[in-house]
Amino acid sequence: MMNDHDDPNLPVVPPPSPEEAARLERLYARFSDNHMIPLWTEIGDLMPEVPKPQAIPYTWRWKDLLPLAEEAGELVPVGRGGERRAISLANPGLDGRPYISPTLWCAIQYLGPHEVAPEHRHSQNAFRFVVEGEGVWTVVNGDPVRMSRGDFLLTPGWNFHGHHNETDQPMAWIDGLDIPFVHYSDTSFFEFGIDRVTDESTPDISRSERLWCNPGLRPLSGLGTTVNSPIGAYRWEHTDRALTEQLRLEDEGFPATVEQGHAAIRYMNPTDGGDVMPTIRAEFHRLREGTATATTRQVGSDVYQVFEGCGRFVIDDTVHEVEKGDVVVAPSWSAVRIEAETSLDLFAFSDRPIVEKLNFARTHIEGVNP
Amino acid sequence: MMNDHDDPNLPVVPPPSPEEAARLERLYARFSDNHMIPLWTEIGDLMPEVPKPQAIPYTWRWKDLLPLAEEAGELVPVGRGGERRAISLANPGLDGRPYISPTLWCAIQYLGPHEVAPEHRHSQNAFRFVVEGEGVWTVVNGDPVRMSRGDFLLTPGWNFHGHHNETDQPMAWIDGLDIPFVHYSDTSFFEFGIDRVTDESTPDISRSERLWCNPGLRPLSGLGTTVNSPIGAYRWEHTDRALTEQLRLEDEGFPATVEQGHAAIRYMNPTDGGDVMPTIRAEFHRLREGTATATTRQVGSDVYQVFEGCGRFVIDDTVHEVEKGDVVVAPSWSAVRIEAETSLDLFAFSDRPIVEKLNFARTHIEGVNP
Amino acid sequence: MMNDHDDPNLPVVPPPSPEEAARLERLYARFSDNHMIPLWTEIGDLMPEVPKPQAIPYTWRWKDLLPLAEEAGELVPVGRGGERRAISLANPGLDGRPYISPTLWCAIQYLGPHEVAPEHRHSQNAFRFVVEGEGVWTVVNGDPVRMSRGDFLLTPGWNFHGHHNETDQPMAWIDGLDIPFVHYSDTSFFEFGIDRVTDESTPDISRSERLWCNPGLRPLSGLGTTVNSPIGAYRWEHTDRALTEQLRLEDEGFPATVEQGHAAIRYMNPTDGGDVMPTIRAEFHRLREGTATATTRQVGSDVYQVFEGCGRFVIDDTVHEVEKGDVVVAPSWSAVRIEAETSLDLFAFSDRPIVEKLNFARTHIEGVNP
Amino acid sequence: MMNDHDDPNLPVVPPPSPEEAARLERLYARFSDNHMIPLWTEIGDLMPEVPKPQAIPYTWRWKDLLPLAEEAGELVPVGRGGERRAISLANPGLDGRPYISPTLWCAIQYLGPHEVAPEHRHSQNAFRFVVEGEGVWTVVNGDPVRMSRGDFLLTPGWNFHGHHNETDQPMAWIDGLDIPFVHYSDTSFFEFGIDRVTDESTPDISRSERLWCNPGLRPLSGLGTTVNSPIGAYRWEHTDRALTEQLRLEDEGFPATVEQGHAAIRYMNPTDGGDVMPTIRAEFHRLREGTATATTRQVGSDVYQVFEGCGRFVIDDTVHEVEKGDVVVAPSWSAVRIEAETSLDLFAFSDRPIVEKLNFARTHIEGVNP
């Protein structure tokens, strides 16, 4: 079907005669006039034998990202006209579009002392992950949610949300959204809210957590399955404890980790045990010092941010040394191996819910699958 | 179809002639010989217009239950030949069978100092709820689970389990199982295990909790949906906090409770948000002092144990004054109203998963449904 | 836990002293006064190692059933006061209750020329299967459904239904319901309808079939999943063709049958591919002349009616020679082998949806499972 | 957040000073060096208030498509190097890519007398719809499936398939695939098969139909839910009958159609009642002469082919007169009204399973929703 599918055993088709070539040229012109495109001339890479992403493996350095965000904080106002002071990480393979992968958006967002990012809502699903800092509350459908180091925070599609910084210090964090997918699939809806936030209080724990973060318990007032997780913030204290316990259980000889020395949790929707939002999966991984993951290919795009520690990503034939705050993207079906120099803590997100729900999931683990 | 379906507007069927009566008698005898039973003579109560349970509303007093269990502790050995020192609560309507309702078993179990209830497994689903005491560990598939006041503990179908008392004090608790349903439906399988327990250690927290009781997080080593909750113990500390927060949220003006003054949680399977076991639902309710629930009828059997406080159950035309430890059963479709004299904490379990999965669920709330 | 769990390796518990025996007796009396029953004295057969049904394997002969139904037709009026002229098949093991198994009801129903069985509805799920005859229409929620030989017809829970015979000939058929389960679980609701049927027309094909019996197609006006199949009648013509094609495919060397020489279909709900009703599974099996099924144990009760041909059921240690119209019941976990003397057509129904949804399903196939 | 979100009530941000402008320019250059893109300069149309597709409403004429396909048949060989003689319909809004919508591919495929399109398989899901002609068999995983007028045929992802023309006449049909989505999401896998087809027999009915096209019945050998429908061909005879019956039922006064005069079916997967493939929905609609649909907006792309009759599509502010064979595309959220001049039969497919599974579905019906 395509040029890269050449097979030496096939009968050679003789080249067209001059007359045939002329007829072909006229035919192709008529195709063009009629908005038709022949499969056989066009699609060398349309249906490859394995995924051939345009996106490339790439790493952004926190030591570059943060100063640039800080300078934007000085020069660019937040609020209406800009809505958010967010600077996206643009995959170099994606032709200058502000996408970290074909489906995913990742940006550093920066909010100066006492600034407010006004409320709005959109069909795009969003989360925040905080690699350092504190002092900002994000208000989701009127529920103020404290943002602190290590926290993973949700603003699922069509929930009003705004942010406000209650301190004299700026704060930066990572935003993840499905903006590219929504743009691609023509599914964007957007609505403005108020210019500030609807609740400026600064509780330590959001109402969503008070209702939903009691392990194994659900409120009788919330028995229905919801499309998105009702939890506003997944706190670092819980994530850290979960990973610590997995490694302790491994030390005690019990099954708990995904691989030797590799603890990991998936953030979940407590109403059904599934992913936190319909398009985005989020996880946290901890590798013991000196360990490495198996080299693995998966369909779908993966993004990682180093939360603590240092090590390297080997993605296809590229090596990415990483340290705290660095952001790494691994395109679909790239071979990924993660090596921990020190104990390595990684926040991770991906578009795998899209891939899985539409039945395109495949995994290849080196040395396991043939 | 039945005697209680009499309708005065119907044409009167004339009584049979003597000859017809004789023929009928012969016919009925032939039915009997052929193991056939006519619908029209037999089934006055087979298909009632609303459920007419044989089981009756009833209350057992903790001040009766506990001394009797203690005396059994002196006279009856635990272990092989008896397997468990459990005394069931037998609904007075159920003809002397050891069932609290047609589907459910509820017993007080008693384990003396340093006694061991040996391991076994069975298709019946079981839980424990601890209204007072501590010092026993239940070992579920090799995972030792501490039992303490307010804890709800699972031993789902076909999991090996045994109990051992590590103290010089006896301990008693409530067992709930689906023994009657399993007996009725001919689905019982049973297998003996070792005579003691497979792990005599006494950790504060079970391995299942270390893996699964981190709110909103699931281990990557446990991504599949499981029929039963993987959590061995639901701790009182979490239940109490969840209820406390619901009432605080209500005070703050936010939706959180099921009715005014009525906080409640359902114990859930974190892998899918559903009930903890396929046949048994378990919940915990807290009523503020002086409040009462709406009078409600539901299809299915409900059992309550008072955990703290006092009040009364009004079930159909019976009134049940209750205090700590008392066990109350409300049969299917009985009208139940709970009144809290003091703040009232109630553990509750039911067979509603059976009713719901088989599409027999109905609810009538006085003043809400017509 | 029970008497039948004796284990010779266990330490012998010495018999109680006279004094202890006296105390025990007093204790048991106090248990009784308090509606408590000790587990250890009572429950020899409460939790057996494998299911030990009270129900027994049994066969009713069509040549007995039909004449008795005919005689009832002469002596017993149909209609109000009796609602239906149905005579149930009472399992000899079930203490004179009109149940073919603990969960299932099976009856022969008989409607004389031009008689009407008036409309009613109930929470019980019902079906009809027609082993011979024609001329009756069952009207389900106002939709008249012709009943003919080989047809399988549904009246799921809470659908109004009545029957009327439009001919000068009587007609008899088999009813299957979950009456025992509904009675046991206290989930019965019943409501009278009109004294005749709401639509006395006699179309060849019901409206439900016109909407829903187009293979692989669903009406856009019916996109929701429904608890019960929306199909009123599964016609013999389709069942026969499906079985014929499976055997032809087997002859052609393709996978299609469940075992060599054994074709089978399950009646399904087209909205989700599941069972036709929440509590009852229905299937049709065809065995080639001279073949036999593997000896199989399954949890749950199975009922068969021979539609055509002859052969035998070997159930545990009983042999049941069968011919057209005979009804056979196999209790839970009995070992069943079916042998076809001629080509053997069997209608079958069971309570397996109950068993499966509540996670009690197990199967043992001789020579396959250990 | 974007230029098209201007709000006159907002405070005017003063333009930057020359110095600020210079600093901004330097900042933007550094962004660019670091593969970062600011949200506030870039994304005027990235998150629109409602979907703003690049794809436009467009119609291709069968009287243009077919002659061009015929000429390609003379000039371009089928088979290896080209795999398929398919010419795609390229939406004029999509920059020359061979996509009818961002997610969907639609092509006319042409197979000359006795030609063979060799076997291959790919992760892309495919179907064929036959607006006229006959004589080709498509062989799907070894099962030969006849292609005739009005038939809808499946070759779901990763099923080997090839086509062969058994006649002296050419044949053309429409292919629908998710090629654009798979390309976009980097989920393509492709594998060559044999150069001809694995089974050159020409049965009237495929094995898949013999097993699965018996209404309401499923083979006991096929009880599992499958991701794709197991049915190879949905025959015109059944589709036509389903639509005819819906209109008759409407005439008789019963609910059956989606709107007055508008009958419609959805092709479904019989194992679960869902869509035939994970990414593509397919339906067939029939409008009575002189009727029209409500004007409706839906998220997702819709493609229609006129099977019989004539009428017009009003899509946003464009009018498309259509007749037999014409292909129309309606982009996401466009307002679509279909008017039937004669009785109008329409085959339709869309990417709505993608939209629904990822929770982006919305519908607006003029005069119904506000």
Side-chain angles (χ1 to χ4, degrees):
Chain A
M1 184 173 257
M2 51 225 68
N3 303 339
D4 61 346
H5 286 174
D6 288 341
D7 181 336
N9 300 322
L10 291 173
V12 178
V13 179
S17 68
E19 193 178 347
E20 284 171 336
R23 282 185 64 193
L24 261 178
E25 195 175 327
R26 287 196 299 276
L27 177 64
Y28 289 172
R30 286 171 62 207
F31 280 163
S32 181
D33 292 346
N34 284 282
H35 297 292
M36 295 168 72
I37 301 178
L39 181 60
W40 57 89
T41 63
E42 173 74 11
I43 54 160
D45 69 342
L46 196 57
M47 296 174 76
E49 296 190 46
V50 297
K52 296 196 171 170
Q54 277 188 279
I56 63 166
Y58 196 75
T59 301
W60 291 259
R61 305 289 165 195
W62 191 243
K63 66 183 182 208
D64 298 328
L65 295 173
L66 189 59
L68 286 166
E70 283 167 348
E71 188 157 347
E74 292 175 32
L75 291 171
V76 181
V78 78
R80 283 296 131 78
E83 289 283 309
R84 295 291 184 266
R85 192 188 292 106
I87 310 138
S88 72
L89 281 50
N91 192 299
L94 291 177
D95 302 329
R97 280 171 292 168
Y99 301 167
I100 199 163
S101 86
T103 50
L104 295 171
W105 163 280
C106 183
I108 180 169
Q109 185 168 161
Y110 185 90
L111 205 59
H114 301 287
E115 280 188 333
V116 177
E119 291 201 350
H120 60 207
R121 66 176 175 178
H122 39 67
S123 54
Q124 289 83 357
N125 297 287
F127 71 79
R128 334 271 159 219
F129 180 74
V130 183
V131 73
E132 63 183 26
E134 60 185 340
V136 169
W137 270 254
T138 181
V139 182
V140 183
N141 277 339
D143 186 12
V145 186
R146 172 177 54 87
M147 297 176 66
S148 300
R149 170 163 162 78
D151 294 345
F152 170 67
L153 306 111
L154 294 187
T155 48
W158 216 239
N159 285 259
F160 274 114
H161 57 282
H163 321 306
H164 61 116
N165 186 339
E166 285 300 303
T167 72
D168 298 330
Q169 301 298 324
M171 184 175 168
W173 64 84
I174 289 292
D175 285 343
L177 292 95
D178 52 12
I179 291 174
F181 180 82
V182 169
H183 187 255
Y184 158 76
S185 60
D186 294 323
T187 55
S188 176
F189 291 84
F190 186 101
E191 195 174 307
F192 287 101
I194 66 167
D195 280 354
R196 293 193 60 86
V197 292
T198 43
D199 185 337
E200 302 202 3
S201 66
T202 57
D204 198 45
I205 298 293
S206 65
R207 299 196 294 270
S208 73
E209 292 162 84
R210 292 161 69 192
L211 267 177
W212 283 101
C213 285
N214 304 294
L217 310 179
R218 62 191 300 171
L220 235 65
S221 54
L223 292 179
T225 296
T226 56
V227 170
N228 301 297
S229 172
I231 297 177
Y234 295 75
R235 299 295 174 190
W236 172 242
E237 150 197 14
H238 301 139
T239 304
D240 183 42
R241 186 177 63 205
L243 300 167
T244 301
E245 290 294 352
Q246 285 185 20
L247 292 175
R248 279 185 190 151
L249 284 163
E250 184 182 272
D251 285 337
E252 297 166 22
F254 297 107
T257 53
V258 268
E259 306 174 281
Q260 188 65 29
H262 179 183
I265 58 86
R266 183 172 296 170
Y267 299 101
M268 71 169 172
N269 176 350
T271 74
D272 65 1
D275 282 301
V276 287
M277 297 187 296
T279 54
I280 298 178
R281 173 165 298 167
E283 298 178 345
F284 203 104
H285 295 253
R286 176 172 290 169
L287 292 173
R288 288 185 200 268
E289 181 183 332
T291 62
T293 66
T295 301
T296 304
R297 294 178 187 275
Q298 292 189 83
V299 173
S301 306
D302 288 279
V303 182
Y304 300 88
Q305 186 178 32
V306 177
F307 181 68
E308 196 65 70
C310 60
R312 74 191 57 76
F313 282 71
V314 184
I315 308 179
D316 292 336
D317 51 0
T318 64
V319 177
H320 305 249
E321 302 287 340
V322 291
E323 59 184 16
K324 181 176 163 178
D326 292 355
V327 175
V328 182
V329 63
S332 184
W333 208 238
S334 57
V336 179
R337 175 183 165 88
I338 310 174
E339 300 173 358
E341 203 165 305
T342 65
S343 173
L344 185 61
D345 273 13
L346 297 168
F347 171 75
F349 69 102
S350 73
D351 60 1
R352 202 138 295 116
I354 299 175
V355 171
E356 288 183 0
K357 286 177 192 168
L358 303 177
N359 197 40
F360 293 111
R362 289 197 193 193
T363 298
H364 179 272
I365 302 176
E366 201 173 277
V368 176
N369 313 58
Chain B
M1 184 174 257
M2 52 225 67
N3 302 339
D4 61 346
H5 286 175
D6 287 341
D7 183 335
N9 301 322
L10 291 174
V12 178
V13 180
S17 68
E19 192 179 348
E20 283 171 337
R23 280 185 66 193
L24 261 178
E25 195 174 327
R26 286 195 300 277
L27 177 62
Y28 290 172
R30 286 171 61 208
F31 281 163
S32 181
D33 292 346
N34 285 283
H35 297 291
M36 296 168 73
I37 301 178
L39 181 60
W40 56 90
T41 63
E42 174 74 9
I43 55 160
D45 69 342
L46 196 58
M47 297 174 77
E49 297 189 46
V50 296
K52 297 196 170 171
Q54 278 189 277
I56 63 167
Y58 196 74
T59 301
W60 291 259
R61 307 290 165 194
W62 191 243
K63 66 183 181 208
D64 298 327
L65 296 173
L66 190 58
L68 287 167
E70 283 166 349
E71 188 157 347
E74 292 174 33
L75 291 171
V76 182
V78 77
R80 283 297 131 79
E83 289 283 308
R84 296 292 184 266
R85 191 188 295 106
I87 311 140
S88 71
L89 281 51
N91 192 298
L94 292 177
D95 300 330
R97 279 170 293 167
Y99 301 168
I100 198 163
S101 87
T103 50
L104 295 172
W105 163 280
C106 182
I108 180 168
Q109 185 169 161
Y110 186 88
L111 206 57
H114 302 288
E115 281 189 333
V116 177
E119 292 201 349
H120 61 206
R121 65 176 175 178
H122 39 67
S123 54
Q124 289 84 357
N125 297 286
F127 71 80
R128 332 274 158 216
F129 178 74
V130 182
V131 75
E132 62 182 28
E134 61 185 339
V136 168
W137 270 253
T138 181
V139 182
V140 183
N141 277 340
D143 185 12
V145 186
R146 173 178 54 87
M147 297 177 66
S148 301
R149 171 163 161 79
D151 295 344
F152 169 68
L153 306 112
L154 294 186
T155 48
W158 216 237
N159 285 259
F160 273 115
H161 57 282
H163 321 305
H164 61 115
N165 186 339
E166 285 299 303
T167 73
D168 298 330
Q169 301 298 324
M171 184 175 168
W173 64 85
I174 288 292
D175 285 342
L177 291 96
D178 52 11
I179 290 174
F181 180 82
V182 169
H183 187 254
Y184 158 76
S185 59
D186 294 324
T187 55
S188 174
F189 290 85
F190 185 100
E191 194 173 306
F192 287 100
I194 65 167
D195 280 353
R196 294 193 60 85
V197 293
T198 43
D199 184 337
E200 302 202 3
S201 66
T202 57
D204 198 45
I205 299 294
S206 66
R207 299 196 295 270
S208 73
E209 293 163 83
R210 292 161 70 190
L211 268 177
W212 282 101
C213 285
N214 304 294
L217 310 179
R218 64 191 299 171
L220 235 66
S221 54
L223 293 178
T225 296
T226 55
V227 169
N228 301 298
S229 172
I231 297 177
Y234 295 75
R235 298 295 173 191
W236 172 242
E237 148 198 15
H238 301 138
T239 303
D240 183 42
R241 187 177 65 204
L243 299 168
T244 301
E245 290 294 352
Q246 286 185 20
L247 291 175
R248 280 186 189 149
L249 284 163
E250 184 182 271
D251 285 337
E252 297 167 22
F254 296 107
T257 52
V258 267
E259 307 174 278
Q260 187 65 28
H262 179 182
I265 57 87
R266 183 173 296 169
Y267 300 100
M268 71 170 172
N269 176 348
T271 74
D272 64 2
D275 282 302
V276 288
M277 297 186 297
T279 54
I280 298 178
R281 172 165 299 166
E283 299 178 346
F284 203 104
H285 294 253
R286 175 172 293 170
L287 291 172
R288 287 185 202 268
E289 182 183 332
T291 61
T293 66
T295 301
T296 303
R297 292 180 188 274
Q298 293 189 82
V299 174
S301 307
D302 287 279
V303 182
Y304 299 87
Q305 186 178 33
V306 178
F307 181 68
E308 196 67 70
C310 61
R312 75 191 57 76
F313 282 70
V314 185
I315 308 179
D316 292 335
D317 50 1
T318 63
V319 178
H320 305 248
E321 302 289 338
V322 291
E323 58 183 17
K324 180 174 163 180
D326 291 355
V327 175
V328 183
V329 63
S332 185
W333 208 238
S334 57
V336 179
R337 174 182 165 88
I338 310 174
E339 301 172 359
E341 203 165 305
T342 65
S343 173
L344 186 60
D345 273 14
L346 297 167
F347 171 74
F349 69 101
S350 73
D351 60 0
R352 202 137 295 115
I354 299 175
V355 171
E356 290 184 358
K357 286 177 192 169
L358 303 178
N359 198 41
F360 293 111
R362 290 198 192 193
T363 299
H364 179 273
I365 303 176
E366 201 173 278
V368 176
N369 313 58
Chain C
M1 179 175 260
M2 51 224 68
N3 304 337
D4 62 345
H5 285 175
D6 289 340
D7 182 335
N9 301 321
L10 290 174
V12 178
V13 179
S17 68
E19 193 180 346
E20 285 171 336
R23 282 184 65 193
L24 262 179
E25 195 175 325
R26 286 195 299 275
L27 178 63
Y28 289 172
R30 287 170 60 207
F31 281 163
S32 182
D33 291 346
N34 284 282
H35 297 292
M36 296 168 71
I37 300 177
L39 181 59
W40 57 89
T41 62
E42 174 74 10
I43 55 161
D45 69 342
L46 196 57
M47 298 174 74
E49 297 189 46
V50 298
K52 295 198 170 169
Q54 278 189 277
I56 64 167
Y58 196 75
T59 301
W60 291 258
R61 305 290 164 197
W62 191 244
K63 67 183 181 208
D64 298 327
L65 294 173
L66 190 58
L68 287 166
E70 283 165 348
E71 188 157 348
E74 291 174 34
L75 291 171
V76 181
V78 78
R80 282 296 131 78
E83 290 283 307
R84 296 291 184 266
R85 191 187 294 104
I87 310 139
S88 72
L89 281 50
N91 192 297
L94 292 177
D95 300 329
R97 280 173 291 168
Y99 301 168
I100 199 163
S101 86
T103 50
L104 295 171
W105 163 279
C106 182
I108 181 169
Q109 186 168 160
Y110 185 89
L111 205 57
H114 302 287
E115 281 189 331
V116 177
E119 291 202 351
H120 60 207
R121 64 176 176 177
H122 40 67
S123 53
Q124 289 83 357
N125 297 287
F127 71 80
R128 333 271 157 221
F129 179 74
V130 183
V131 74
E132 62 182 27
E134 61 185 338
V136 170
W137 270 254
T138 181
V139 182
V140 183
N141 278 338
D143 186 12
V145 187
R146 173 178 53 87
M147 296 176 68
S148 300
R149 169 163 161 80
D151 295 344
F152 169 68
L153 306 111
L154 294 187
T155 49
W158 216 237
N159 285 260
F160 273 114
H161 56 281
H163 321 306
H164 62 116
N165 186 338
E166 286 300 303
T167 73
D168 299 329
Q169 300 299 322
M171 183 175 169
W173 63 85
I174 289 292
D175 285 342
L177 291 95
D178 51 13
I179 291 175
F181 181 81
V182 168
H183 188 255
Y184 158 76
S185 59
D186 293 323
T187 55
S188 175
F189 291 84
F190 185 100
E191 196 174 304
F192 287 100
I194 66 168
D195 280 350
R196 292 194 61 85
V197 293
T198 44
D199 185 336
E200 302 203 3
S201 67
T202 57
D204 197 45
I205 298 293
S206 66
R207 299 196 294 271
S208 73
E209 293 163 83
R210 292 161 69 191
L211 268 176
W212 282 101
C213 286
N214 304 294
L217 310 179
R218 62 191 298 171
L220 236 65
S221 55
L223 293 178
T225 296
T226 55
V227 169
N228 301 298
S229 172
I231 298 176
Y234 295 75
R235 297 295 174 192
W236 172 242
E237 150 197 14
H238 301 140
T239 304
D240 183 43
R241 186 177 64 204
L243 299 168
T244 302
E245 289 294 351
Q246 285 184 21
L247 291 176
R248 279 185 190 150
L249 284 163
E250 184 183 272
D251 285 337
E252 297 166 23
F254 296 108
T257 52
V258 269
E259 305 175 281
Q260 187 65 28
H262 178 183
I265 57 87
R266 182 174 296 171
Y267 299 100
M268 72 169 172
N269 176 348
T271 75
D272 65 2
D275 282 301
V276 287
M277 298 187 296
T279 54
I280 298 177
R281 172 165 298 167
E283 298 178 346
F284 203 104
H285 295 252
R286 175 172 292 171
L287 291 173
R288 288 185 200 268
E289 181 183 334
T291 62
T293 66
T295 302
T296 303
R297 293 179 187 273
Q298 293 191 83
V299 173
S301 307
D302 288 279
V303 181
Y304 300 87
Q305 186 177 32
V306 177
F307 182 69
E308 196 67 70
C310 61
R312 73 191 59 77
F313 282 69
V314 184
I315 308 179
D316 292 336
D317 50 1
T318 63
V319 178
H320 305 247
E321 302 288 339
V322 290
E323 60 183 16
K324 181 175 165 180
D326 292 355
V327 176
V328 182
V329 62
S332 184
W333 208 238
S334 57
V336 178
R337 175 181 166 89
I338 309 173
E339 300 173 359
E341 203 165 305
T342 65
S343 173
L344 185 61
D345 274 11
L346 297 168
F347 171 74
F349 69 101
S350 73
D351 60 2
R352 202 138 294 115
I354 299 175
V355 170
E356 288 184 359
K357 286 177 190 169
L358 302 177
N359 197 40
F360 292 111
R362 291 198 192 192
T363 298
H364 178 272
I365 302 176
E366 202 173 276
V368 176
N369 315 59
Chain D
M1 182 175 258
M2 52 226 67
N3 302 338
D4 61 345
H5 285 175
D6 289 339
D7 181 336
N9 300 321
L10 290 174
V12 177
V13 179
S17 68
E19 193 178 347
E20 284 172 336
R23 281 184 65 193
L24 262 178
E25 196 174 325
R26 285 195 300 276
L27 177 62
Y28 289 171
R30 287 171 60 207
F31 281 163
S32 181
D33 291 347
N34 284 282
H35 297 292
M36 295 167 72
I37 300 177
L39 181 59
W40 58 89
T41 63
E42 174 75 9
I43 56 161
D45 69 342
L46 195 57
M47 297 173 76
E49 297 189 46
V50 297
K52 295 198 171 169
Q54 277 188 277
I56 64 168
Y58 195 76
T59 301
W60 291 260
R61 305 288 164 197
W62 191 245
K63 66 183 182 206
D64 298 327
L65 294 173
L66 190 59
L68 286 166
E70 284 166 348
E71 188 156 348
E74 292 175 32
L75 291 171
V76 181
V78 77
R80 283 296 130 78
E83 291 282 308
R84 295 293 184 266
R85 191 187 294 106
I87 311 140
S88 72
L89 281 50
N91 191 298
L94 291 177
D95 301 329
R97 280 171 292 167
Y99 301 167
I100 199 163
S101 87
T103 49
L104 295 171
W105 163 281
C106 181
I108 180 170
Q109 186 167 161
Y110 186 90
L111 206 58
H114 302 287
E115 280 188 332
V116 177
E119 292 201 351
H120 61 206
R121 65 176 175 177
H122 40 67
S123 54
Q124 289 84 356
N125 296 287
F127 71 80
R128 334 271 158 221
F129 180 73
V130 183
V131 76
E132 62 181 28
E134 60 185 339
V136 169
W137 271 254
T138 181
V139 182
V140 182
N141 278 340
D143 186 13
V145 186
R146 172 179 53 87
M147 297 175 67
S148 300
R149 169 162 163 80
D151 294 344
F152 169 68
L153 307 112
L154 294 186
T155 49
W158 216 238
N159 284 260
F160 274 115
H161 57 282
H163 320 304
H164 61 115
N165 186 339
E166 285 299 305
T167 73
D168 298 331
Q169 301 298 324
M171 183 176 169
W173 63 84
I174 290 291
D175 285 342
L177 292 95
D178 52 12
I179 291 175
F181 180 82
V182 169
H183 188 254
Y184 158 76
S185 59
D186 294 323
T187 54
S188 175
F189 291 84
F190 185 101
E191 195 174 304
F192 287 100
I194 66 168
D195 280 352
R196 295 194 59 87
V197 293
T198 43
D199 185 336
E200 302 203 3
S201 67
T202 57
D204 198 45
I205 299 293
S206 65
R207 299 195 296 269
S208 72
E209 293 163 83
R210 293 160 69 190
L211 267 177
W212 282 101
C213 286
N214 304 295
L217 310 180
R218 62 191 299 172
L220 235 66
S221 54
L223 292 177
T225 296
T226 56
V227 169
N228 302 298
S229 171
I231 297 176
Y234 294 75
R235 297 296 173 192
W236 172 242
E237 150 197 14
H238 301 139
T239 304
D240 183 43
R241 186 177 64 203
L243 299 168
T244 301
E245 290 294 351
Q246 286 185 20
L247 292 175
R248 280 185 189 151
L249 283 163
E250 185 182 89
D251 285 337
E252 297 166 23
F254 296 107
T257 53
V258 270
E259 307 174 280
Q260 187 63 29
H262 178 182
I265 56 88
R266 183 173 295 169
Y267 300 100
M268 72 169 173
N269 176 349
T271 73
D272 65 2
D275 282 301
V276 287
M277 298 187 296
T279 54
I280 297 177
R281 172 165 300 167
E283 298 178 346
F284 203 104
H285 295 253
R286 175 172 291 170
L287 291 173
R288 286 185 201 268
E289 181 183 334
T291 62
T293 66
T295 302
T296 303
R297 294 179 186 275
Q298 293 190 83
V299 173
S301 307
D302 288 279
V303 181
Y304 300 87
Q305 186 176 34
V306 177
F307 181 68
E308 197 66 70
C310 60
R312 71 192 60 76
F313 282 71
V314 185
I315 308 179
D316 292 335
D317 50 1
T318 64
V319 177
H320 305 248
E321 302 288 340
V322 291
E323 60 183 16
K324 180 175 164 180
D326 292 355
V327 176
V328 183
V329 64
S332 185
W333 208 238
S334 57
V336 178
R337 175 181 165 88
I338 310 174
E339 300 173 358
E341 202 165 307
T342 66
S343 171
L344 185 61
D345 273 12
L346 297 168
F347 171 75
F349 69 101
S350 74
D351 59 1
R352 202 138 294 116
I354 299 176
V355 170
E356 290 184 358
K357 285 176 192 169
L358 303 177
N359 197 40
F360 293 111
R362 290 198 193 193
T363 298
H364 178 273
I365 302 175
E366 203 173 275
V368 176
N369 314 58

